């Protein structure tokens, strides 16, 4: 269940950042970069802030 929520939230953030780049400002690309860097960081450290937040909100781990 955690993976499902995680993927939906991250995917939504990426799509939102693309929409903001197109309609608001090119500077919203930094938001996309932030998301990508966090995904890479979590692959190496096995820690993700979003996962911690979801667990504290009561989302069950697979």
């Amino acid at each position: 269940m955690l993976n499902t929520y995680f993927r939906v939230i991250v995917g939504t953030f990426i799509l939102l950042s693309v929409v903001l780049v197109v309609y608001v400002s090119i500077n919203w690309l930094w938001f996309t970069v932030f998301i990508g860097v966090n995904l890479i960081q979590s692959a190496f450290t096995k820690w993700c802030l979003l996962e911690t937040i979801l667990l504290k909100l009561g989302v069950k781990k697979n």
Side-chain angles (χ1 to χ4, degrees), residues 29-57:
L29 275 178
W30 289 109
F31 183 53
T32 310
V33 170
F34 175 74
I35 294 167
V37 168
N38 277 307
L39 287 170
I40 293 168
Q41 169 268 322
S42 68
F44 288 108
T45 64
K46 306 295 188 234
W47 179 81
C48 177
L49 179 61
L50 180 57
E51 183 178 333
T52 304
I53 292 169
L54 288 172
L55 289 172
K56 287 187 179 187
L57 288 174

Side-chain angles (χ1 to χ4, degrees), residues 4-49:
T4 303
Y5 281 107
F6 180 82
R7 291 171 194 237
V8 167
I9 292 170
V10 172
T12 302
F13 282 167
I14 291 173
L15 291 175
L16 175 66
S17 70
V18 170
V19 169
L20 289 169
V21 164
V22 171
Y23 292 108
V24 178
S25 170
I26 192 78
N27 288 324
W28 280 102
L29 275 178
W30 289 109
F31 183 53
T32 310
V33 170
F34 175 74
I35 294 167
V37 168
N38 277 307
L39 287 170
I40 293 168
Q41 169 268 322
S42 68
F44 288 108
T45 64
K46 306 295 188 234
W47 179 81
C48 177
L49 179 61

